Amino acid sequence: MELERLLRSQGFGSRPECRHLIYSGRVSVFGEPCDDPFAKFEPEGFSFSVDGVLWGYRKFVYLALNKPANYECSQKPKHHPSVYTLLPPPLLMRGVQAVGRLDEDTTGLLLLTDDGQFIHTYTSPKKLVPKVYEVMTKHSIDDTQLSGLVSGVQLNDEPAPIAATACERLSERLMRLTVTEGKYHLVKRMIAAASNRVEALHRVSIGGFELPSSLLPGQWMWMEAADLERLGSRKQVN
Ligand code: URA
């Protein structure tokens, strides 16, 4: 594929913009400057840099972000900055989107991708992927609340009770809760239905993929094939 097309596919702008980028000497390929927009390369394993920042060709991108509090998972946020401001422009240009949403005050693992099929699969109510949250509550957690959450709590506007697949008390006001559904404010509503209240909510894992402790709030990482497999998805990433 021609270099300008390759850059375009990776989110570096329109073909004329990519051509301009290449002509202005800002692009290197496999470590060597390249000012020919029509030079041809195999996409697979292709590596390039723009202004010294190294990129690898990816057919789709899959990212894990440690969402900080006071960020909104919306392209048009109302009260706080958008999580999309935490990503570099080429990823936004590619159309990366959050896979489901976390509330503005919820922290932790948020997946993002430009693979529409992946978003569809992972946000489908049919795909029962376990999502684990650490929940800090306002009041002490008692055994009745824990057993109620596991046997199922009735939420307003839901036809049937919703049950956590696991629920464990970690300390007096901290629990670890696993749910498989992705409904609006689900954990907060479940905790309220169990007669308590969420004070802080942090998502620690999705499927078998855990938020790495080295990923600080606001930081993101590429998810590679092994990470996606842990999540429960077999995907070729480049
Ligand atoms: N449940 C909630 O109530 N909020 C979130 O952000 C995620 C799950």
Side-chain angles (χ1 to χ4, degrees):
M1 198 190 289
E2 291 169 348
L3 183 56
E4 70 172 30
R5 278 177 189 267
L6 270 165
L7 291 192
R8 187 176 113 74
S9 74
Q10 302 302 291
F12 287 85
S14 64
R15 278 181 67 184
E17 283 165 341
C18 292
R19 195 174 309 165
H20 184 256
L21 205 59
I22 298 163
Y23 279 143
S24 35
R26 294 165 60 191
V27 178
S28 296
V29 170
F30 296 116
E32 296 294 325
C34 181
D35 60 4
D36 177 3
F38 307 107
K40 287 197 172 158
F41 301 96
E42 276 301 316
E44 204 170 314
F46 180 69
S47 120
F48 62 100
S49 54
V50 178
D51 296 330
V53 178
L54 190 63
W55 298 84
Y57 173 86
R58 288 170 192 261
K59 185 169 177 218
F60 292 114
V61 293
Y62 305 92
L63 314 174
L65 171 76
N66 186 351
K67 180 192 172 294
N70 302 324
Y71 275 79
E72 293 182 31
C73 293
S74 164
Q75 305 274 6
K76 292 187 184 151
K78 292 202 177 105
H79 307 293
H80 297 287
S82 162
V83 290
Y84 296 103
T85 61
L86 299 167
L87 302 178
L91 296 181
L92 303 178
M93 189 77 99
R94 290 182 67 138
V96 160
Q97 288 178 48
V99 182
R101 290 185 175 200
L102 290 175
D103 298 336
E104 60 191 40
D105 52 352
T106 301
T107 59
L109 179 59
L110 180 70
L111 307 182
L112 299 114
T113 182
D114 58 350
D115 178 349
Q117 183 59 50
F118 183 93
I119 295 178
H120 180 74
T121 306
Y122 273 84
T123 51
S124 155
K126 287 192 198 134
K127 177 109 182 159
L128 301 177
V129 188
K131 298 171 196 82
V132 181
Y133 293 87
E134 279 178 5
V135 189
M136 176 64 76
T137 58
K138 179 163 187 196
H139 310 291
S140 303
I141 301 161
D142 62 34
D143 291 343
T144 317
Q145 290 168 14
L146 295 177
S147 58
L149 286 163
V150 172
S151 57
V153 285
Q154 184 63 53
L155 306 182
N156 288 340
D157 303 332
E158 294 298 335
I162 296 192
T165 45
C167 188
E168 180 194 359
R169 183 172 34 215
L170 302 178
S171 67
E172 192 191 340
R173 293 194 300 119
L174 185 67
M175 73 168 88
R176 182 169 291 202
L177 183 80
T178 308
V179 292
T180 52
E181 299 189 43
K183 295 178 191 295
Y184 183 65
H185 288 337
L186 180 65
V187 174
K188 289 175 185 165
R189 289 159 67 210
M190 287 176 75
I191 299 292
S195 308
N196 207 324
R197 191 189 155 103
V198 172
E199 292 246 298
L201 189 56
H202 179 74
R203 184 154 67 190
V204 290
S205 69
I206 299 179
F209 179 79
E210 272 184 38
L211 183 69
S213 56
S214 55
L215 199 66
L216 301 177
Q219 291 183 337
W220 62 273
M221 57 173 269
W222 301 108
M223 292 184 79
E224 306 294 355
D227 300 317
L228 294 172
E229 202 153 320
R230 255 176 234 126
L231 198 65
S233 170
R234 281 174 192 275
K235 283 272 176 193
Q236 206 180 326
V237 292
N238 46 28

